[in-house]
Amino acid sequence: QLQLQESGPGLVKPSETLPLTCTVSGGSISTSGYYWGWIRQPPGKGLEWIGSIYYSGNTYYNPSLKSRITISVDTSKNQFSLKLSSVTAADTAVYYCARRQAGVGVDPWGQGTLVTVSS
Amino acid sequence: ETVMTQSPATLSVSPGERATLSCRASQSVSSNLAWYQQKPGQAPRLLIYGASTRATGIPARFSGSGSGTDFTLTISSLQSEDFAVYYCQQYNDWPPETFGQGTKLQIK
């Protein structure tokens, strides 16, 4: 059974870079037809798609965040990562990593990790 | 960017009754639409993809319909575990993939 697990700091200072890693277990990140992505949810609010990456390295970013995000993949470790720069309080959210299959929805999701931006 | 609008924001239904949730896209997304259920403190769970195909393990009381710009999620005979927030998502015109703002289904 495929599982995803986010890891990273729970607290980041304003203007710094938020780094998160998603470790995939129970399956290979290099399987064709799957995109590996990040979605966030501010406390009490809805879902926002951040971006995704194909195992080949092709990336797809939300234009609203594009100037601040970098998503990368490490197939040797079966991991993919997110870096969000110049964070502000508005970036405080639960960050989920997830898999999406072409033509299908997002499944499965990681359990999510709360990242708070505060000094 | 394709904007997804869900209605109503909150829906109050009694257990055993039917719930009908709506999702409208600002432009056609064909059938590239998914529905998710989210319970407090949990990650969303995929219910429906391709507008009408149930994901693995999803009970038959969940059904999706629609294409183009108008979509519906129907839950027949609501069970206690069905009270949650539901989101629609389009993946036709991306990036970005976009979600609706959610419909909270609560017990009447």
Side-chain angles (χ1 to χ4, degrees), chain A residues 51-106:
Chain A
S52 60
I53 190 166
Y54 200 60
Y55 76 92
S56 61
N58 290 350
T59 53
Y60 308 86
Y61 296 153
N62 190 322
S64 68
L65 298 168
K66 188 174 184 177
S67 64
R68 299 197 291 131
I69 60 176
T70 302
I71 298 176
S72 58
V73 64
D74 186 336
T75 55
S76 67
K77 294 182 179 179
N78 228 31
Q79 295 177 331
F80 61 104
S81 299
L82 168 70
K83 290 186 178 180
L84 178 64
S85 64
S86 304
V87 298
T88 69
D91 295 309
T92 294
V94 175
Y95 285 76
Y96 296 100
C97 63
R99 181 189 74 173
R100 186 165 81 72
Q101 182 178 356
V104 182
V106 178

Side-chain angles (χ1 to χ4, degrees), chain B residues 68-106:
Chain B
T69 61
D70 291 295
F71 302 87
T72 300
L73 173 69
T74 301
I75 312 170
S76 63
S77 188
L78 278 163
Q79 306 297 302
S80 57
E81 62 266 29
D82 299 335
F83 292 96
V85 179
Y86 291 83
Y87 294 95
C88 61
Q89 177 212 22
Q90 69 82 21
Y91 48 89
N92 183 70
D93 172 35
W94 70 286
E97 300 178 13
T98 47
F99 293 88
Q101 79 279 19
T103 290
K104 182 179 181 179
L105 180 59
Q106 63 183 23

Side-chain angles (χ1 to χ4, degrees), chain B residues 4 14 22-24 29 43 46 52 56-57 75 79 83 87 97 101 106:
Chain B
M4 308 301 293
S14 300
S22 296
C23 176
R24 175 167 288 178
V29 298
L46 176 66
S52 61
T56 302
I75 312 170
Q79 306 297 302
F83 292 96
Y87 294 95
E97 300 178 13
Q101 79 279 19
Q106 63 183 23

Side-chain angles (χ1 to χ4, degrees), chain B residues 18-35:
Chain B
R18 174 189 298 258
T20 302
L21 290 68
S22 296
C23 176
R24 175 167 288 178
S26 61
Q27 60 186 318
S28 176
V29 298
S30 186
S31 294
N32 294 309
L33 182 110
W35 288 95

